C-alpha cells in the first residue's frame, strides 16, 4: 500500500486528497480529521446538501455507480475509504482499479450481507446467535422451534433496527417474513441480553491492530441512544476477549481501516458477536473528545498507510445521540432547536451537530459527549443534559 504523506505537494501543487464514498455525518467527521492533518478531501454523494459534501474541498455530486465519476474520484484521490456499508461493493471494486481503497470491497461485502457476516463469525471461531438462513417457503417450514422466539432480519440494508420483525411462535413466521417483504433473511434466536457492547479496532496494511476501549451501548427503538466508556462493570478478561475477537475478525478479512464489532453480553456472562460495521461507528464518536486519537484519525491513518498508535482514553465519557425528535418537544408545530445554551453551560459538554438542514423524528442530527475525570461525574452531568433535553435517564 502507498503511504500518503501529509504536507507533501503533488504535481498540481496541492496537498494529497483523501476521498470518501458517502457524505453523511461519519464522512463529515472523517473529512474534519483528514483536513486537520492537512489533507484535501473529496466526498462522493448524490445529495448536493450532504453533511460531508458541505465541508469538503471537493464534492462529486453523483450516483455511486457512475463510472465516469468513479474514474474522476480515482484520479483526484491518493486513497479512498467508505462511509457506510451500503455503498455497492462494485463501486469499491471500480475505484480500486484507479486508487488504493481501504477497507477493500471483499471485506465490505462480508459486512453488507448478514449471511456472509454470520459465516465469517463462524469461520473465525467467534460465537454468534443461533440462526438459520431464510430464502424460501421451505426454509421457513423447516425452522427449528428452538430458534423461537426470534428476530427475522433482512440479509441486506438493515440498520437502526430497520428490516427486522419479531417472531414469537412458528405460526407467526409467515406473517413476519411478509412484513419484511419476503426478502432473504437471517432468523436469529432472541437472546437474554444483559448489556450491549462494541469494540472499535483499526488495522493497518502492515497487520498492526489498535483498539479503542470497550464501549457500552444503550439502544432505544433500535437506534443507539447512549454510549458509556469505559463500559462500567465489565470484567477485564471479558473486555480483553471482545478486543481480541474484534482484532481476529479484522485480520481474517485482511481488513485495512476502522472496524466496529457489536457484541451482546448475555445474562450468563457469555459474549456473543452481533454484527460488524466496516467503518467508524456511532458508538465511537466519544473518541473525538475523550481520546488522544479518535476513530476518524485512525481511519485517516489506516487508509493513508500512516502509523497507527493505540488511542489513550484521557477522560471518562458518556455520549448522548441527538435525534430529530428533540426539535419537536414543545407545542410549536415547526421544529425548534433544543436549549443548547443550557446544555453548553454544563462542564465537559461537547456538542456536535451534523449540519442537516431538516430535523425529522428518528434522524441523527448530532451527538453530545460529556467528558469528566471520573465516570460517576460524567454520568451525573449526562443525566443533567438528558433532563434539559427532555430525554429519559439511563
Ligand atoms: P441493526 O443493523 O439495525 O443495528 P442489530 O442486529 O444490531 O441491527 O439489531 C438491533 C438491536 O436489536 C440490537 O442492538 C439489540 O438491541 C436487538 N437485537 C438484535 N438481535 C438480537 C438478538 N438475537 N437477541 C436479542 N436482541 C437482539
Ligand atoms: Mg446494530
Amino acid at each position: 500500500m502507498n503511504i500518503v504523506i501529509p504536507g507533501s505537494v503533488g504535481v498540481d501543487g496541492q496537498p494529497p486528497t483523501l476521498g470518501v464514498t458517502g457524505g453523511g455525518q461519519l464522512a463529515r467527521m472523517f473529512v474534519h480529521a483528514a483536513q486537520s492533518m492537512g489533507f484535501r478531501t473529496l466526498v462522493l454523494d448524490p445529495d448536493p446538501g450532504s453533511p460531508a459534501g458541505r465541508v469538503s474541498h471537493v464534492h462529486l455530486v453523483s450516483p455511486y455507480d457512475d463510472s465516469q465519476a468513479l474514474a474522476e474520484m480515482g484520479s483526484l484521490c491518493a486513497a479512498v475509504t467508505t462511509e457506510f456499508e451500503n455503498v455497492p461493493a462494485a463501486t469499491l471494486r471500480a475505484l480500486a482499479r484507479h486508487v488504493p481503497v481501504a477497507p477493500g470491497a471483499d471485506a465490505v461485502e462480508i459486512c453488507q450481507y448478514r449471511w456472509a457476516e454470520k459465516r465469517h463469525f463462524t469461520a473465525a471461531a467467534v460465537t454468534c446467535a443461533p440462526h438459520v438462513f431464510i430464502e424460501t417457503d421451505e426454509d421457513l417450514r423447516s425452522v427449528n422451534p428452538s430458534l423461537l422466539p426470534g428476530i427475522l432480519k433482512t440479509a441486506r440494508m438493515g440498520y437502526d433496527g430497520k428490516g427486522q420483525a419479531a417472531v414469537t411462535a412458528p405460526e407467526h413466521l409467515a406473517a413476519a417474513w411478509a412484513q419484511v417483504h419476503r426478502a432473504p433473511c437471517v432468523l436469529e434466536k432472541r437472546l437474554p441480553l444483559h448489556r450491549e457492547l462494541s469494540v472499535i479496532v483499526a488495522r493497518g496494511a502492515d497487520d498492526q491492530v489498535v483498539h479503542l476501549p470497550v464501549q457500552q451501548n444503550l439502544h432505544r427503538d433500535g437506534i443507539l441512544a447512549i454510549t458509556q466508556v469505559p463500559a462500567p462493570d465489565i470484567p477485564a478478561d471479558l473486555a480483553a476477549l471482545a478486543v481480541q475477537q474484534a482484532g481476529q475478525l479484522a485480520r481474517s478479512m485482511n481488513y485495512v481501516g476502522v472496524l466496529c464489532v457489536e457484541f451482546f453480553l448475555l445474562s450468563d456472562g457469555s459474549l456473543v458477536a452481533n454484527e460488524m460495521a466496516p467503518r467508524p461507528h456511532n458508538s465511537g464518536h466519544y473518541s473525538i473528545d475523550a481520546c488522544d486519537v479518535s476513530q476518524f484519525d485512525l481511519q485517516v491513518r489506516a487508509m493513508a498507510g500512516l502509523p497507527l498508535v493505540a488511542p489513550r482514553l484521557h477522560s471518562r465519557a458518556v455520549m448522548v445521540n441527538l435525534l430529530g425528535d428533540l426539535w419537536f418537544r414543545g407545542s410549536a408545530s415547526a421544529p425548534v432547536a433544543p436549549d443548547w445554551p443550557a446544555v453548553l453551560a454544563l462542564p465537559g459538554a461537547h456538542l456536535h451537530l451534523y449540519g442537516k438542514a431538516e430535523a425529522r423524528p428518528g434522524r441523527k442530527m448530532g451527538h453530545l459527549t460529556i467528558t469528566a475525570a471520573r465516570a460517576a461525574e460524567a454520568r451525573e452531568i449526562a443525566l443533567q443534559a438528558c433532563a434539559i433535553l427532555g430525554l429519559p435517564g439511563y
Side-chain angles (χ1 to χ4, degrees):
M1 172 180 246
N2 286 343
I3 298 178
V4 190
I5 308 281
S8 59
V9 176
V11 280
D12 58 355
Q14 300 283 349
T17 299
L18 299 183
V20 55
T21 58
Q25 62 267 17
L26 296 167
R28 180 178 168 104
M29 289 181 269
F30 161 77
V31 161
H32 287 151
Q35 291 176 347
S36 75
M37 272 187 247
F39 291 111
R40 286 168 57 82
T41 58
L42 182 151
V43 168
L44 175 71
D45 190 300
D47 174 5
S50 75
R54 285 166 183 267
V55 298
S56 178
H57 293 88
V58 182
H59 180 191
L60 278 182
V61 181
S62 158
Y64 298 117
D65 57 0
D66 179 327
S67 53
Q68 211 178 324
L70 297 178
E72 188 181 352
M73 184 173 191
S75 71
L76 293 173
C77 293
V80 166
T81 189
T82 185
E83 176 210 36
F84 71 124
E85 54 269 47
N86 292 328
V87 166
T91 295
L92 302 179
R93 290 208 171 89
L95 279 167
R97 287 200 283 275
H98 305 280
V99 59
V101 176
D106 291 351
V108 173
E109 205 163 36
I110 292 175
C111 304
Q112 280 176 341
Y113 290 99
R114 286 198 197 269
W115 295 4
E117 192 173 53
K118 297 281 193 228
R119 267 190 231 114
H120 185 69
F121 287 148
T122 309
V126 169
T127 307
C128 59
H131 61 275
V132 67
F133 306 126
I134 306 285
E135 247 187 323
T136 64
D137 287 308
E138 182 48 37
D139 294 340
L140 211 60
R141 277 192 292 275
S142 34
V143 163
N144 188 324
S146 71
L147 287 175
L148 301 178
I151 304 173
L152 203 55
K153 301 181 179 179
T154 56
R156 296 205 56 190
M157 298 298 221
Y159 69 98
D160 289 345
K162 294 185 176 63
Q164 299 194 4
V167 190
T168 42
E171 60 272 25
H172 300 147
L173 270 169
W177 198 31
Q179 205 180 314
V180 293
H181 311 292
R182 294 168 60 88
C185 275
V186 169
L187 173 69
E188 251 181 63
K189 188 175 172 64
R190 181 177 285 284
L191 301 172
L193 310 191
H194 175 53
R195 298 263 193 273
E196 293 196 56
L197 307 173
S198 60
V199 177
I200 288 164
V201 293
R203 180 172 179 270
D206 60 355
D207 192 36
Q208 196 195 353
V209 178
V210 299
H211 65 90
L212 291 172
V214 176
Q215 299 114 208
Q216 182 171 309
N217 304 320
L218 172 73
H219 294 84
R220 292 190 182 122
D221 299 327
I223 306 179
L224 182 66
I226 304 274
T227 295
Q228 296 179 77
V229 66
D233 312 323
I234 300 296
D237 56 345
L238 195 109
L241 178 65
V243 168
Q244 184 253 318
Q245 291 191 341
Q248 165 63 21
L249 288 166
R251 279 208 170 92
S252 52
M253 289 190 285
N254 200 20
Y255 192 91
V256 175
V258 171
L259 175 77
C260 178
V261 184
E262 295 181 6
F263 291 96
F264 299 143
L265 176 58
L266 305 189
S267 348
D268 67 1
S270 61
L271 192 67
V272 171
N274 174 34
E275 61 171 353
M276 301 185 287
R279 51 172 172 78
H281 191 259
N282 198 165
S283 64
H285 289 355
Y286 72 87
S287 60
I288 297 173
D289 300 303
C291 293
D292 55 3
V293 182
S294 78
Q295 62 170 348
F296 301 101
D297 297 329
L298 289 175
Q299 192 183 22
V300 170
R301 286 169 178 245
M303 74 188 288
L306 298 168
L308 298 178
V309 292
R312 291 179 296 195
L313 185 78
H314 53 66
S315 302
R316 313 287 114 169
V318 177
M319 189 232 36
V320 180
N321 249 356
L322 305 171
L323 303 183
D325 309 60
L326 296 180
W327 273 250
F328 298 92
R329 283 279 183 261
S331 52
S333 55
V336 176
D339 189 355
W340 299 133
V343 170
L344 289 169
L346 299 171
H350 308 264
L351 176 64
H352 298 260
L353 294 177
Y354 306 144
K356 296 184 183 178
E358 191 195 344
R360 289 194 297 267
R363 189 175 200 200
K364 290 178 181 170
M365 300 299 289
H367 69 270
L368 178 74
T369 303
I370 304 293
T371 54
R374 291 179 308 108
E377 191 190 343
R379 179 183 159 82
E380 190 188 311
I381 296 167
L383 288 174
Q384 288 176 32
C386 290
I388 291 168
L389 295 169
L391 289 170
Y394 61 94

